Amino acid sequence: MDPAKYAELFLAESREHLGTLNQQLLAWEKDPTATEPIGTLFRAVHTIKGMAATMGYTVVANIAHRVENLLDLLRKSDKAVLPDTIDLLFQSADALEQAVEGSVVGEEDAVDVAELLHQLDQAVLALEPSKPRGKTPAPQQPSEQPDLGGRGVRVVVRHDAPLKGVRALLVLRNMQELGTVAGVRPAEAALEADEFDGEFEFRLAAEVSNAVVETRIRAAGDIKSVEISEVAQTAARQEETRAGMKTRHVRVDLQRFDNLMDLIGELVTARSRLVELAADRADPELEDVALRITHLSSALQTEIIETRMTPVWHVFDRFPRLVRDVGRQLDKRVTLHLEGKDIELDRAILDEIGDLLVHLLRNAIDHGIEKPEEREGAGKPPEGRIELSAARDRSTIVIRVKDDGRGIDKAKILEDVKQRGLVDPETETLTDDILIRVLSQPGFSTAKEVSELSGRGVGLDVVATQLQALGGSLDIDTELGLGSTFTLRLPPTLAIIPALLARVGEERYALPLTHVDETLDFESVAIADLDGTDAMVLRDQVVPLVHLRAVVGVEGEASRRRPVIILEIGDRKGGLVVDHLLGQRDIVVKGFDAPAGTLPIFSGATILGDGQPILILDAARLV
Amino acid sequence: MSHTVLVCDDAIFMRTMISDILSQAGYEVVGEAETGTQAVERFKDLNPDLVTMDIVMPDMGGIDAVREIVKIAPNAKILMCSAMGQQALVVEAIQAGAKDFVVKPFQPSRVLEAVQRVLE
């Protein structure tokens, strides 16, 4: 057996059950009289216990065992569950989680659970009815059946056998198939309650040989010795011939999967080259093959990407618990509403945004949602509401964190940033666009005092930077007194994305289509002046222009006929003027460690069909 | 020909472990079930030589599944997979018609012994 393989399965499955545990506890806390959560809870804990015991993770198994006992009693109780008990169960879920994670890396003792186990035991004792169980197994009285004669049999169950009593019952059942059993000592009731040391006796009247009797006794399993008060014979057990091995399951290591994705990426790159060559040669046969390869690799690519897609609930489902805990810590009442849980994202992206969402949710509770009294004073319900939603918008996935809290006081922030010299002192209003840029500045925090939760000066800059690294963007929409909405826009998959290729001077650049709205001819647009910078008028809207030539420092004048790429990031628009458009291509995004001094306008790199590397432009940084 | 086995447990972890133990010993795991209802359905479809049955499963528990299976095939060979502390449930399962039991944490040798006993 390969322990690592089981550890991985154990971890994955335990995490899933821990998620269930938290969800069901939340549901139960909301409705303490509900009966459905307990069955689900019981099964989740029971499964974790079984797996942990098998892996030899005793700390996990010990906690789970006690929680299971407690749940079992609660299930039988007809009273609503007490808040203290729910709290204890929440604590247990946390301890289980720590112990599960610790166990897998060999640090299960890192968690001190003694106090928790004690509390669980106390809770069990408090609930346990004063029952006679364990004290009064049926007295060892001789059987009232008449003596049938026959053989006296004494059986000893192996001392390390589990559930010896049930083993003994199996022996008796086998004996009853042979003949009549009497004079069982200890009594069957005691065997059922597993209250015996593994030795028992009975009398058997049956028309079979001692050898058969012993064989049938040993067939019950885990038998150490059999004594029959006549002539005893040892029966040898036959070992079954074992046939060859057979594997029925395929499990794929995640690393393998990433490798596969990389290979598909290479294939897409080579395909581009093939298509280019075929076009150059003007050979119809070659073009046919190129077309066929294009279709096949596209299908393969879609298939692989589909397999990587994971619904957002994998991450969302742990948040209701988080929001509850953070709310309690801060004396705020708040519920989280989830929407669009089935929307899918690349697993790699999903893994990345989990922490970002935690940050945004904590911010929303800490800085957004007011205390109940303050809310009531403002004419709001005392319980705050946070909505976390996922939705598809064209080729983008949009995730929103919306709260109905106090909103952000832009006037105050404007004063603050003016003092710090972050904006022009003449600025009179702070638009949401500028606000998000200001808030995303490293080290900017609106928290007056550093709170334990989300202060520490770590503001939105971390969120914004990481989103950008993923090819996404962050927007904010806030209204004083009414609440704030943070909007994350993400490509649904990381590895291969459609992009527009453009040329400026001698260099080519890729621009992910995620943020491309349309392309226009520069000559045909009306140029305007917007606070001293170039802008254009697009359907009655003034859109600032960015000349990529100037940004990347290409000398000389470009031709008049130049295209403008209209970029849209949230509500923000911008026009990017380039020299030429080279068409649309699927590009394989490669990690990109920008050397010091690189312009901060690139989000990564890719390799084109001709083997040349080019840089990927970050739309959010350009406009 | 090797014996065919249907593995019933709601945890993939457990199913994998049992399947591995059995297939490495030459048994043929022909199916898996995650719930009691599934176990009964799959039993009807596959008619396996042996069923390993978890006690606690969603939907329909293992003991009820044993009752249902025994109704269909009175001689069905069912091996219960229980945890420590489930004494009463194991007794109930045995009374319902299960042939034997193993107790988690599983030791491969114990599981194989029990399987052989049941199939003998």
Side-chain angles (χ1 to χ4, degrees):
Chain A
M1 279 200 274
D2 173 8
K5 170 179 140 194
Y6 290 111
E8 220 169 86
L9 267 179
F10 166 77
L11 189 61
E13 214 161 357
S14 297
R15 280 179 181 158
E16 210 172 285
H17 286 293
L18 285 165
T20 310
L21 219 58
N22 277 314
Q23 279 169 44
Q24 293 299 319
L25 283 173
L26 282 171
W28 207 12
E29 186 180 43
K30 275 211 169 124
D31 180 6
T33 56
T35 50
E36 307 84 48
I38 196 157
T40 315
L41 283 170
F42 187 85
R43 280 197 301 278
V45 174
H46 180 78
T47 304
I48 293 175
K49 179 178 99 168
M51 293 192 292
T54 303
M55 294 297 290
Y57 300 152
T58 47
V59 175
V60 179
N62 278 340
I63 304 171
H65 181 64
R66 283 172 169 80
V67 173
E68 194 185 293
N69 285 347
L70 179 57
L71 288 171
D72 194 35
L73 288 168
L74 288 168
R75 180 158 61 177
K76 287 169 189 155
S77 154
D78 48 3
K79 295 191 194 94
V81 63
L82 299 169
D84 281 355
T85 310
I86 294 269
D87 268 346
L88 181 59
L89 288 169
F90 269 125
Q91 280 174 36
S92 307
D94 289 344
L96 271 175
E97 185 172 347
Q98 284 175 19
V100 162
E101 302 285 334
S103 296
V104 176
V105 294
E107 290 170 8
E108 66 171 340
D109 292 329
V111 207
D112 184 11
V113 293
E115 174 60 26
L116 178 73
L117 294 183
H118 176 69
Q119 286 182 27
L120 283 167
D121 284 342
Q122 293 304 110
V124 166
L125 279 177
L127 276 167
E128 213 155 13
S130 48
K131 58 173 183 180
R133 184 177 176 271
K135 300 283 176 284
T136 55
Q140 297 187 11
Q141 59 199 9
S143 168
E144 287 173 11
Q145 282 179 3
D147 192 345
L148 294 164
R151 285 161 272 216
V153 184
R154 182 179 177 78
V155 180
V156 182
V157 179
R158 255 158 61 175
H159 76 278
D160 59 342
L163 307 190
K164 296 186 184 71
V166 189
R167 205 47 80 186
L169 291 176
L170 277 178
V171 170
L172 294 176
R173 191 181 69 180
N174 287 354
M175 292 302 98
Q176 277 149 3
E177 288 168 7
L178 295 178
T180 311
V181 175
V184 182
R185 284 190 297 175
E188 283 186 52
L191 297 180
E192 275 182 31
D194 211 8
E195 280 156 1
F196 89 123
D197 56 7
E199 292 189 32
F200 66 109
E201 297 175 345
F202 57 91
R203 281 195 308 281
L204 173 73
E207 299 293 314
V208 290
S209 71
N210 282 349
V212 171
V213 172
E214 177 159 355
T215 305
R216 292 302 298 149
I217 290 172
R218 290 194 179 271
D222 278 344
I223 302 302
K224 185 182 173 206
S225 64
V226 180
E227 285 172 42
I228 302 172
S229 59
E230 288 173 20
V231 189
Q233 287 178 347
T234 27
R237 274 193 292 149
Q238 293 289 316
E239 283 288 314
E240 247 184 61
T241 331
R242 292 176 186 184
M245 312 235 287
K246 190 164 184 185
T247 314
R248 292 182 43 81
H249 304 278
V250 178
R251 280 195 169 72
V252 183
D253 187 321
L254 288 178
Q255 183 56 47
R256 279 252 154 113
F257 211 60
D258 286 344
N259 294 347
L260 191 55
M261 201 64 203
D262 284 347
L263 286 173
I264 300 272
E266 306 271 334
L267 181 63
V268 169
T269 307
R271 173 188 81 189
S272 306
R273 182 71 187 135
L274 178 64
V275 171
E276 282 168 21
L277 281 177
D280 286 353
R281 304 282 159 90
D283 176 345
E285 274 183 83
L286 185 58
E287 276 181 45
D288 268 0
V289 176
L291 192 64
R292 180 99 184 106
I293 299 260
T294 302
H295 286 322
L296 286 174
S297 59
S298 294
L300 192 56
Q301 182 186 326
T302 313
E303 197 66 29
I304 299 259
I305 289 176
E306 286 288 308
T307 325
R308 288 176 67 96
M309 295 304 252
T310 313
V312 294
W313 62 255
H314 278 277
V315 166
F316 279 19
D317 274 2
R318 61 183 229 240
F319 292 145
R321 170 74 199 278
L322 176 106
V323 167
R324 168 199 180 268
D325 288 354
V326 175
R328 285 193 148 201
Q329 253 171 292
L330 295 167
D331 286 331
K332 294 187 179 173
R333 288 174 56 193
V334 50
T335 48
L336 179 69
H337 297 265
L338 300 177
E339 224 171 281
K341 282 165 68 168
D342 292 330
I343 296 285
E344 294 185 326
L345 269 174
D346 191 300
R347 189 184 50 80
I349 297 182
L350 200 58
D351 287 350
E352 294 287 329
I353 63 163
D355 290 344
L356 306 185
L357 291 175
V358 168
H359 191 86
L360 290 175
L361 288 169
R362 289 187 169 214
N363 267 342
I365 305 166
D366 196 5
H367 307 311
I369 304 292
E370 313 89 332
K371 300 228 162 150
E373 28 326 341
E374 193 184 333
R375 289 181 64 88
E376 281 182 315
K380 295 182 184 180
E383 181 159 277
R385 177 185 170 96
I386 298 178
E387 284 172 31
L388 174 62
S389 65
R392 205 172 245 288
D393 178 20
R394 280 180 293 178
S395 61
T396 320
I397 300 298
V398 179
I399 295 177
R400 284 203 173 82
V401 179
K402 180 179 180 193
D403 68 68
D404 67 348
R406 60 169 72 94
I408 295 172
D409 189 343
K410 290 186 211 166
K412 215 152 119 196
I413 291 189
L414 186 60
E415 279 313 304
D416 197 23
V417 294
K418 272 187 190 170
Q419 274 175 19
R420 298 198 205 185
L422 293 171
V423 292
D424 189 332
E426 301 296 303
T427 316
E428 282 175 6
T429 54
L430 202 56
T431 62
D432 287 339
D433 289 356
I434 302 176
L435 177 67
I436 191 75
R437 290 202 221 187
V438 170
L439 290 179
S440 312
Q441 301 244 343
F444 188 90
S445 174
T446 59
K448 283 288 171 220
E449 64 255 48
V450 172
S451 87
E452 188 203 336
L453 291 166
S454 42
R456 296 184 213 270
V458 181
L460 287 171
D461 58 311
V462 178
V463 178
T465 312
Q466 293 201 26
L467 275 174
Q468 189 197 334
L470 293 168
S473 61
L474 176 68
D475 283 292
I476 183 173
D477 178 12
T478 181
E479 203 146 341
L480 193 59
L482 294 178
S484 310
T485 305
F486 288 85
T487 306
L488 293 74
R489 275 167 219 280
L490 292 155
T493 177
L494 260 192
I496 300 179
I497 54 172
L500 195 61
L501 296 193
R503 191 166 62 73
V504 169
E506 297 301 309
E507 285 295 325
R508 289 175 298 179
Y509 299 95
L511 194 58
L513 281 186
T514 326
H515 297 295
V516 175
D517 205 25
E518 59 184 317
T519 57
L520 300 168
D521 197 345
F522 184 60
E523 228 175 351
S524 70
V525 301
I527 301 299
D529 182 71
L530 180 72
D531 302 334
T533 52
D534 253 4
M536 59 181 273
V537 180
L538 179 69
R539 289 184 284 273
D540 299 335
Q541 200 185 346
V542 179
V543 176
L545 284 175
V546 178
H547 294 271
L548 194 55
R549 275 182 89 87
V551 175
V552 299
V554 173
E555 304 279 322
E557 266 304 302
S559 66
R560 285 296 303 160
R561 288 191 58 86
R562 278 173 293 167
V564 188
I565 304 167
I566 306 298
L567 301 171
E568 192 180 50
I569 293 127
D571 300 331
R572 210 156 82 229
K573 276 195 176 180
L576 183 69
V577 185
V578 298
D579 288 357
H580 287 287
L581 290 180
L582 304 169
Q584 192 184 321
R585 219 58 67 78
D586 282 345
I587 58 167
V588 181
V589 181
K590 300 275 179 195
F592 168 61
D593 285 324
T598 310
L599 287 168
I601 55 166
F602 304 112
S603 61
T606 186
I607 295 169
L608 290 187
D610 57 12
Q612 291 299 308
I614 66 166
L615 292 170
I616 302 169
L617 290 165
D618 181 355
R621 289 285 177 127
L622 284 167
V623 302
Chain B
M1 208 180 73
S2 60
H3 289 286
T4 55
V5 186
L6 169 65
V7 175
C8 312
D9 199 305
D10 58 338
I12 309 176
F13 174 87
M14 282 300 174
R15 291 202 303 275
T16 309
M17 177 161 282
I18 296 170
S19 297
D20 285 356
I21 292 172
L22 293 178
S23 44
Q24 276 166 27
Y27 296 98
E28 189 185 356
V29 178
V30 289
E32 295 185 0
E34 290 173 40
T35 68
T37 315
Q38 253 183 40
V40 178
E41 287 307 312
R42 306 238 64 192
F43 181 86
K44 283 188 212 163
D45 294 342
L46 300 168
N47 191 24
D49 299 328
L50 175 79
V51 181
T52 74
M53 183 76 75
D54 185 25
I55 291 185
V56 180
M57 284 190 292
D59 190 357
M60 180 198 285
I63 296 175
D64 285 334
V66 170
R67 290 197 181 99
E68 291 302 313
I69 289 175
V70 170
K71 270 187 215 164
I72 303 162
N75 287 321
K77 291 177 172 160
I78 307 174
L79 176 64
M80 298 309 289
C81 300
S82 81
M84 287 302 280
Q86 288 185 327
Q87 167 91 14
L89 292 175
V90 178
V91 172
E92 200 182 334
I94 300 285
Q95 283 158 357
K99 294 286 184 236
D100 207 323
F101 65 94
V102 285
V103 178
K104 298 171 193 175
F106 293 142
Q107 292 164 10
S109 58
R110 282 280 169 99
V111 175
L112 291 174
E113 278 171 28
V115 167
Q116 284 163 24
R117 282 197 302 267
V118 173
L119 286 172
E120 254 166 27

